[in-house]
Amino acid sequence: MANYVHGFDPIEQLRLKEQAEFLAPMVYKEVDFGGCKNLLEVGSGVGAQTRILLEKFPALQITCVDSSAEQLAQARINLASFGDRVRFVEQDGCELQLGERFDAAFVCWTLEHVPSPIRLLIKLKEHLQPGARLYVTEVFNSSLYVSPGYSHLRYYVEVMSDFQRKIGGNPDVGIELGNLLTEAGFSSCTTRFDGFYLDARSGEKRKMVTSYWKELLKSAAPALLAEGVGTHLTVKKMLEDLEKLGNDENAIFFYQFVQAKTTY
Ligand SMILES: C[S@@+](CC[C@H](N)C(=O)[O-])C[C@H]1O[C@@H](n2cnc3c(N)ncnc32)[C@H](O)[C@@H]1O
């Protein structure tokens, strides 16, 4: 059974880069690593967030940790131009062992795939200096609201979320970030919501958002089909719903992710 719902093929690796750029205005709205020097990124994937961090904060050195050799190989290629500002470590974030402490950390769209997010956060904390700044950004799939109808889209997201739970992940981990960080020993955690709210006011934005969601949801299709928890028809109908939603200027689409900020 696949244990990572999006897989590691080149199309998915490219999607991660496009996703990071598309979501950057929301994800980085309040991220501030000014004054920090040495950042630890866990679940860095193909380096899509790393690139944005390196560009936004020129004083940062970044250590990228990912459990997938394939993702790290692609990250090395994608970030080659940054030279020794970035290094790569293949490790499970839940068993992190780096022998040094960092003054900044960043985790994005990763805890949702980890069977024990609390363990990852505790290990991460062991690698932070006092006063270190940490941002964690995560999905909250139960926040999805669409109207009117769009039952195929709703059904697909339910199937995908159930499958993610079955393989040890949590598609609602975002809403638990406050509790998880508190339990991991971070005392002053703040959380904020951001995401999508399409309605009659959305104009051109509607098409951009529904196109992004098509690619995001399609990326889980191979795993769902391979495990027999979805069919080609399920995927086709979901895409048709998103197409309709993109064309209906009064349709409502609402989804929120959660970003937590804390210092150690
Ligand atoms: C959806 S991708 C996000 C990548 C990157 N943060 C981004 O936003 O583009 C999740 C990444 O987490 C990695 N991952 C999953 N479980 C992990 C674990 N236990 N330790 C380290 N990395 C993990 C996967 O290999 C994958 O590259």
Side-chain angles (χ1 to χ4, degrees), residues 50 54 60-64 79-80 82-88:
T50 324
L54 287 164
L60 279 183
Q61 301 270 343
I62 301 187
T63 298
C64 291
L79 301 174
F82 292 95
D84 62 7
R85 283 187 64 204
V86 58
R87 69 170 175 143
F88 305 91

Side-chain angles (χ1 to χ4, degrees), residues 4 6 8 16 19-20 41-46 48-49 65-68 71 91-94 108-110 112-114 120:
Y4 176 58
H6 301 291
F8 300 110
L16 282 179
Q19 168 173 277
E41 185 184 359
V42 181
S44 49
V46 298
Q49 308 295 348
V65 174
D66 202 284
S67 53
S68 158
Q71 299 287 77
Q91 263 184 32
D92 178 347
C94 298
C108 190
W109 318 131
T110 294
E112 60 174 299
H113 303 293
V114 173
L120 189 148

Side-chain angles (χ1 to χ4, degrees), residues 88-105:
F88 305 91
V89 179
E90 185 184 336
Q91 263 184 32
D92 178 347
C94 298
E95 307 298 332
L96 209 57
Q97 215 168 10
L98 297 172
E100 65 180 298
R101 287 178 182 262
F102 298 79
D103 64 0

